[in-house]
Amino acid sequence: MNKPFLKWAGGKHKLAPFIARHLPPSRRRLIEPFAGSAALSLALEFEAYLLNDTNSDLIALFQTLKNEKQAFIDYVRQYFGTDHNQESRFYVLREQFNNSETPIERAALFVYLNRHAFNGLCRYNSKGQFNVPFGRYRAPYFPEKEMQAFIKKADRMEICCGDFQSALAQADHHDTIYCDPPYVPLSITASFTAYSKENFNLDEQNRLAIAAQQTAPQTQGLLISNHDTALTRELYRTARLETVSVQRNIAAKGSSRQKVGELLAIYGV
């Protein structure tokens, strides 16, 4: 089971076996409208994949890796020397990323930031600038093997940047859809949702739930992951609900890294 090459908040690599148990038997095409690190697509075997996300840097990275293959991996490697794993150098490279208009450089620096920034977070300020601080890791991992695994599947991947509904609109009766949106907060203070420039607020959560109910009958099935809360149970009340307890490691304090309930809403399976 291949791992994603990016660290990602709420990544689904460890949950892939749980999700797979509730997928329909068809393995024609998997659509991920909220691709993130593409953990599920990399972990599971389908004939084809459609990866969509609103994060243009993420999608540009996937497209660059698909097109440039090993040459891009070799280019990224230059940013993983010990001389680049220093706080002062990190902020120089973060500024370079924010100002870069060269696609291959920006994509390579996105990988660098993902592995060197605090907790692997991807966050932007109101001006659209990446603003996660230095992570202070002793030896950040260079994910060459994981990037090579992505390349092996890339010819079967269609990669898109847009709203989740643009991905849903491409679905037909051969497709399975897995949605991993920014999660509903467990509390008012736990409101990390701004991994792209636009927040995924309650109206967006409701729009997704309505779209899922409308789209599922035209597909093999549609599944959505979210926190297990009273709100999400209400949002997905027309779906079959399955739950699992997961370890959350995105919190700043180790004491806050505890198991939380995860909900899987299943439509049409």
Side-chain angles (χ1 to χ4, degrees), residues 220-261:
Q220 290 291 310
L222 186 153
L223 296 82
I224 308 176
S225 288
N226 216 313
H227 281 142
D228 186 0
T229 68
L231 174 59
T232 53
R233 284 180 173 270
E234 173 61 22
L235 282 172
Y236 311 139
R237 62 188 179 277
T238 62
R240 176 166 63 89
L241 304 179
E242 298 288 343
T243 60
V244 65
S245 185
V246 297
Q247 187 77 35
R248 279 282 171 257
N249 294 319
I250 205 67
K253 296 181 180 179
S255 59
S256 298
R257 299 177 185 182
Q258 55 191 359
K259 288 194 173 183
V260 297

Side-chain angles (χ1 to χ4, degrees), residues 32 42 56 95 184 218:
E32 290 200 71
L42 291 168
S56 57
E95 184 175 4
V184 168
Q218 306 158 36

Side-chain angles (χ1 to χ4, degrees), residues 31-43:
I31 297 178
E32 290 200 71
F34 304 86
S37 65
L40 201 68
S41 288
L42 291 168

Side-chain angles (χ1 to χ4, degrees), residues 70-82:
Q70 185 64 40
F72 177 69
I73 296 175
D74 295 339
Y75 180 80
V76 176
R77 188 182 288 108
Q78 68 181 300
Y79 294 111
F80 279 75
T82 55

Side-chain angles (χ1 to χ4, degrees), residues 206-217:
N206 191 56
R207 183 165 69 94
L208 172 60
I210 293 170
Q213 191 173 354
Q214 293 172 342
T215 304

Side-chain angles (χ1 to χ4, degrees), residues 44-94:
L44 304 181
E45 197 60 32
F46 278 75
E47 293 178 24
Y49 308 86
L50 192 161
L51 303 180
N52 177 81
D53 205 280
T54 59
N55 187 317
S56 57
D57 290 319
L58 174 71
I59 294 303
L61 166 58
F62 286 166
Q63 198 67 59
T64 300
L65 181 55
K66 176 180 178 177
N67 294 341
E68 303 297 327
K69 300 181 170 61
Q70 185 64 40
F72 177 69
I73 296 175
D74 295 339
Y75 180 80
V76 176
R77 188 182 288 108
Q78 68 181 300
Y79 294 111
F80 279 75
T82 55
D83 52 331
H84 294 308
N85 190 30
Q86 300 173 23
E87 188 164 9
S88 59
R89 183 62 179 156
F90 172 85
Y91 289 110
V92 168
L93 290 175
R94 191 179 76 172

Side-chain angles (χ1 to χ4, degrees), residues 111-131:
V111 179
Y112 166 81
L113 292 171
N114 178 259
R115 288 285 169 175
H116 290 75
F118 177 73
N119 257 5
L121 289 173
C122 182
R123 186 186 66 202
Y124 300 85
N125 63 21
S126 59
K127 296 179 180 179
Q129 297 175 321
F130 188 95
N131 67 352

